[in-house]
Amino acid sequence: MYAGMAMTHFGNQVFSALQVPVPEFYRGIEEKKMVVSMGLFFVCNTIKQNLLSTGAFEVYYDGAPIFSKLEAHRMPTGDELVKSLEAAVKKREAQKKKHA
């Protein structure tokens, strides 16, 4: 949400710093900065509230579950997610090599 708001208000500087032309769609956003920011705020908060109310936090990689808050009854740590994703990526790469 905050990244979207920052891009809404500071996109020109970001595109200039990256030395890329300003995309055409951004010109419409630039004209309506406050409306877009308010929309992002309300939509993101609605999504966040709905996710919190279900208690679900599910992480999948390539269709396979990596972490389930509903099963674990807790939130994962950052390290736990990174290690689980790394293991899933390695497993997937090994499967691709095996079938190649």
Side-chain angles (χ1 to χ4, degrees), residues 67-92:
F67 184 87
S68 171
K69 180 184 173 205
L70 296 174
E71 290 178 13
H73 303 290
R74 63 179 179 79
M75 288 296 287
T77 64
D79 288 340
E80 184 178 13
L81 279 179
V82 169
K83 288 177 183 175
S84 297
L85 285 169
E86 286 173 344
V89 168
K90 286 179 184 177
K91 181 179 177 183
R92 181 67 178 144

Side-chain angles (χ1 to χ4, degrees), residues 5-67:
M5 287 182 171
M7 281 301 293
T8 301
H9 292 276
F10 304 110
N12 283 331
Q13 290 88 347
V14 172
F15 295 125
S16 294
L18 295 174
Q19 298 179 346
V20 295
V22 176
E24 198 59 39
F25 75 88
Y26 180 75
R27 299 201 190 283
I29 291 171
E30 189 177 34
E31 293 172 7
K32 301 175 181 98
K33 288 179 182 181
M34 289 307 295
V35 174
V36 172
S37 294
M38 288 173 38
L40 280 170
F41 178 79
F42 288 116
V43 169
C44 290
N45 279 329
T46 300
I47 292 170
K48 180 175 87 172
Q49 187 60 38
N50 286 335
L51 290 172
L52 289 173
S53 68
T54 64
F57 182 80
E58 312 295 307
V59 179
Y60 288 85
Y61 175 76
D62 202 25
I66 301 296
F67 184 87

